[in-house]
């Protein structure tokens, strides 16, 4: 089954690389770096997100929205889209079909088909986040969905259908925690993907005060929904993959549980100290964020404060929502970016390569747009110049901001911060197409090369509204390289691997990760913008098990598949 899946993917990739079909072609009329247009309706993706009332957010569970995953579920070489959906409060429910998450299959021609029912994914629950990973190494990517309530694990059967197995796998939770972000990660490097789940609060509708009932239910003098302050926090969970489709809760013995009294949202994995072991960053709301350092023995230590990523440069906790990681400086070190609540900046942390970070938000030109409330965010090289840019989805949580004149808008535009290659970013949002300027209340965001043509698309799951599928129609002459890893000793997806493309003048570095953004999961293939580089010398892969090997590069502007054990071994340093 696994060999069949790989063969099908490789054949499809070769075909699409040869045809270079551009279903939404770029135009020289549009300025670089980007010109984003929303093609969701044209592509057939029109399902609306449901999270309680669309207009009156009385409880915090109605305001946090849902994530999105980009995943090649059928291994045909073309990326598909999974949109997480919430539910209605009983008081708002009408006599109609209950909402469900939706899976859209890529038709290869710029359109998608809703295959939710055919895939066996019709499931009503209050969905929050999603992450992608082949947890049983059978060659087919699975979906883990976090919920307000019990979480769900959809096992990919390899025949176009999924089966929900969370209870028997041991990852459903007790239903009391409100799951948010998640990520598959092989933290002990045994070749099996483990699972990290961030939790927000213990939310009990019957015990939650009404808007304006106490201090935690007021904002700028206006009565609003209550929380998260004043609500009981929930601890994060780490599940160890025991094999045979079973997981074990190791939150206590691993030390993850020690980070207590936090309200956590997104999960981003990275090897921040470059020791070959994956670490875990968790953005938290109204409390310090956490950086779990991998101690190589099955345990973690929260070093967020010690490394400089728990607070901002003033030592102040922020209301973190989404997070993303990349080598945005081009120096080989993976930095972090975190979105926050309104009346605050987002935060950019530069990795110095010595195990510490520095808040460089203002020097980088990102101390702006204080009225926006950021959620989903991804580093993405939109113009393939070799330096990752930033895409941010925004939207407020209080509908009252529109009527009470509180200095913000409930529906907000998206941001594009263009990387100027010198550690600074430029806000080009207003000049980069109508797909960025139309106001909506954005939440989950994921990126991927949906049509295998070297351009990154952006999918946004908007709160109580329709989704967006943003295509970049700006033309540029830069080159690119797509890399898909196939683990043999390591986990099949190569999650946790560090990949370095060695060019003539510089190297390009990234890591394979599940999860990240805000409760979302992006393309597991790595996308490298190469600028003018046409003859990279080699690709070096440090696999999740710690071993490294190099592979030759046979041209650019194409996808390559690298299988563990098929390259040239690199001697241990």
């Amino acid at each position: 089954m696994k060999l069949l899946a790989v063969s099908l993917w490789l054949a499809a990739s070769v075909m699409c690389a040869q045809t270079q079909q551009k279903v939404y072609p770029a135009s020289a009329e549009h300025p670089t770096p980007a010109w984003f247009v929303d093609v969701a309706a044209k592509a057939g993706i029109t399902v609306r997100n449901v999270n309680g009332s669309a207009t009156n957010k009385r409880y915090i569970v109605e305001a946090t929205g849902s994530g999105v995953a980009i995943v090649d579920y059928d291994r045909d070489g073309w990326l598909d889209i999974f949109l997480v959906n919430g539910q209605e409060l009983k008081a708002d429910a009408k006599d109609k079909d209950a909402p469900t998450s939706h899976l859209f299959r890529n038709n290869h021609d710029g359109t998608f088909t809703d295959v939710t029912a055919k895939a066996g994914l019709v499931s009503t629950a209050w969905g929050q986040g999603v992450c992608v990973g082949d947890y049983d190494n059978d060659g087919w990517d699975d979906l883990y969905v976090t919920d307000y309530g019990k979480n769900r694990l959809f096992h990919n059967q390899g025949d176009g259908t999924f089966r929900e197995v969370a209870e028997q796998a041991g990852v459903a939770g007790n239903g009391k925690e409100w799951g948010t972000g998640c990520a598959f990660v092989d933290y002990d490097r045994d070749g099996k993907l483990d699972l990290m789940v961030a939790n927000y609060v213990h939310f009990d509708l019957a015990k939650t005060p009404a808007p304006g009932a106490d201090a935690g239910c007021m904002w700028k003098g206006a009565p609003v929904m209550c929380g998260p302050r004043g609500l009981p926090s929930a601890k994060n969970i780490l599940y160890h993959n025991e094999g045979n489709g079973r997981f074990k809760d190791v939150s206590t013995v691993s030390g993850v549980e020690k980070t207590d009294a936090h309200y956590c949202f997104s999960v981003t994995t990275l090897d921040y100290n470059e020791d070959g072991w994956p670490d875990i960053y968790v953005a938290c709301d109204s409390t310090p964020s956490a950086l779990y350092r991998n101690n190589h023995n099955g345990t973690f230590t929260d070093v967020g404060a010690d490394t400089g990523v728990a607070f901002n440069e003033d030592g102040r906790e922020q209301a973190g929502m989404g997070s993303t990681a990349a080598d945005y400086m081009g120096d080989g070190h993976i930095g972090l970016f975190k979105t926050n609540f309104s009346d605050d900046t987002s935060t950019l942390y530069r990795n110095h390569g010595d195990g510490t970070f520095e808040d460089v938000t203002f020097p980088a030109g990102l101390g702006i747009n204080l009225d926006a409330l950021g959620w989903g965010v991804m580093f993405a090289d939109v113009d393939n110049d070799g330096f990752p840019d930033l895409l941010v989805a925004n939207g407020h949580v209080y509908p009252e901001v529109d009527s009470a004149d509180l200095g913000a808008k409930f529906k907000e535009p998206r941001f594009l911060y263009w990387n100027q290659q010198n550690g600074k970013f430029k806000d080009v949002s207003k000049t980069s197409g109508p797909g960025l300027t139309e106001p909506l209340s954005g939440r989950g965001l994921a990126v991927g090369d949906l049509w295998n043509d070297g351009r990154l698309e952006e999918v946004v799951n908007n709160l109580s509204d329709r989704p967006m599928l943003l295509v970049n129609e700006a033309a540029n002459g830069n080159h690119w390289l797509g890399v898909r890893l196939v683990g043999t000793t390591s986990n099949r997806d190569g999650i946790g691997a560090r990949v370095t493309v060695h060019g003539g003048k510089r190297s390009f570095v990234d890591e394979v990760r599940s999860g990240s953004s805000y409760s979302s999961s992006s393309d597991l293939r790595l996308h490298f913008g190469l600028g003018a580089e046409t003859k990279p010398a080699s690709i070096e892969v440090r696999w999740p098990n710690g071993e490294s090997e190099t592979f030759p590069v046979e041209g650019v502007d194409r996808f390559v598949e690298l299988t563990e054990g098929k390259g040239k071994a690199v001697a241990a340093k």
Side-chain angles (χ1 to χ4, degrees), residues 199-228:
N199 286 311
Y200 193 45
V201 298
H202 286 286
F203 184 74
D204 186 338
L205 198 64
K207 298 179 181 179
T208 302
D214 58 36
C217 313
M218 301 290 295
W219 190 68
K220 294 187 176 182
V224 295
M225 71 188 79
C226 302

Side-chain angles (χ1 to χ4, degrees), residues 2 68 93 224 334 337 433 468 509 517 523:
K2 177 178 178 180
V68 55
V224 295
I334 305 294
F337 183 84
M468 302 186 85
V509 177
S517 185
D523 191 352

Side-chain angles (χ1 to χ4, degrees), residues 126-171:
W126 204 300
Q128 180 84 39
V130 59
C131 50
V132 175
D134 181 4
Y135 75 89
D136 57 351
N137 290 322
D138 66 352
W140 304 89
D141 281 327
D142 311 297
L143 298 167
Y144 184 75
V145 179
T146 61
D147 293 276
Y148 161 47
K150 288 196 172 183
N151 301 326
R152 293 164 288 167
L153 176 60
F154 295 103
H155 178 256
N156 192 330
Q157 304 287 89
D159 59 0
T161 69
F162 291 80
R163 184 166 61 94
E164 207 286 296
V165 297
E167 289 284 2
Q168 65 192 69
V171 294

Side-chain angles (χ1 to χ4, degrees), residues 265-569:
F265 272 135
S266 67
V267 178
T268 295
T269 63
L270 74 160
D271 180 9
Y272 84 94
N273 54 3
E274 301 166 20
D275 63 356
W277 295 76
D279 311 294
I280 303 171
Y281 182 71
V282 182
C284 301
D285 183 7
S286 306
T287 51
S289 293
L291 177 59
Y292 294 106
R293 184 190 66 208
N294 193 323
N295 296 327
H296 311 177
N297 60 1
T299 70
F300 289 83
T301 302
D302 183 358
V303 295
D306 295 334
T307 57
V309 294
F311 308 97
N312 67 3
E313 65 175 351
D314 297 326
R316 181 173 56 84
E317 61 194 27
Q318 297 174 288
M321 306 296 176
S323 58
T324 182
D327 176 19
Y328 75 91
M329 290 290 297
D331 60 4
H333 306 309
I334 305 294
L336 284 164
F337 183 84
K338 176 169 64 74
T339 56
N340 299 304
F341 204 81
S342 60
D343 296 326
D344 196 359
T345 69
S346 293
T347 313
L348 178 66
Y349 296 107
R350 180 177 180 180
N351 187 335
H352 288 300
D354 60 0
T356 67
F357 293 81
E358 178 186 1
D359 180 348
V360 294
T361 304
F362 284 91
L366 294 170
I368 55 178
N369 294 319
L370 274 66
D371 57 328
L373 199 167
W375 295 88
V377 57
M378 285 297 292
F379 278 108
D381 190 352
V382 300
D383 57 350
N384 289 333
D385 65 355
F387 288 83
D389 313 295
L390 281 162
L391 288 163
V392 185
N394 306 290
H396 220 282
V397 295
Y398 305 134
E400 293 86 353
V401 299
D402 288 338
S403 58
D405 193 21
L406 298 178
K409 296 293 184 182
F410 184 64
K411 296 183 178 182
E412 299 175 328
R414 285 138 303 286
F415 296 149
L416 171 59
Y417 297 124
W418 179 61
N419 191 329
Q420 300 184 75
Q421 306 183 16
N422 58 0
K424 297 181 182 297
F425 290 80
K426 181 180 180 181
D427 184 357
V428 296
S429 312
K430 294 180 179 179
T431 59
S432 296
L436 297 183
T437 56
E438 181 185 1
L440 286 166
S441 197
R443 293 298 186 265
L445 177 153
V447 298
D449 187 350
L450 295 178
W451 293 290
N452 301 314
D453 60 4
R455 293 179 297 164
L456 292 176
E457 281 71 46
E458 174 185 3
V459 183
V460 182
N461 205 351
N462 293 301
L463 177 69
S464 301
D465 216 318
R466 58 181 175 79
M468 302 186 85
L469 171 51
L470 304 181
V471 174
N472 184 5
E473 294 187 346
N476 66 70
N478 292 324
H479 299 285
W480 59 277
L481 190 67
V483 177
R484 177 178 183 259
L485 300 184
V486 179
T488 53
T489 303
S490 300
N491 69 82
R492 186 200 61 84
D493 284 322
I495 290 173
R498 175 176 285 230
V499 178
T500 304
V501 178
H502 294 288
K505 294 184 178 180
R506 56 162 291 207
S507 294
F508 308 84
V509 177
D510 203 357
E511 295 177 352
V512 182
R513 62 180 55 87
S514 166
S516 200
S517 185
Y518 172 73
S519 299
S520 297
S521 206
S522 292
D523 191 352
L524 289 175
R525 304 174 303 181
L526 295 181
H527 176 92
F528 292 95
L530 301 176
E533 179 71 63
T534 58
K535 296 181 179 180
S538 64
I539 302 176
E540 181 176 347
V541 180
R542 190 197 66 199
W543 293 96
N545 64 9
E547 297 181 0
S548 297
E549 55 185 333
T550 60
F551 297 82
V553 184
E554 300 178 358
V556 296
D557 301 333
R558 57 183 294 175
F559 283 91
V560 297
E561 182 182 85
L562 308 179
T563 301
E564 187 176 17
K566 296 294 183 66
K568 181 179 180 182

Side-chain angles (χ1 to χ4, degrees), residues 175-196:
K176 296 180 180 179
E177 290 90 359
W178 171 357
T180 52
C182 63
F184 285 101
V185 54
D186 183 7
Y187 74 86
D188 57 354
R189 309 198 316 186
D190 66 352
K192 300 187 294 292
L193 287 176
D194 312 300
L195 180 62
M196 177 71 183

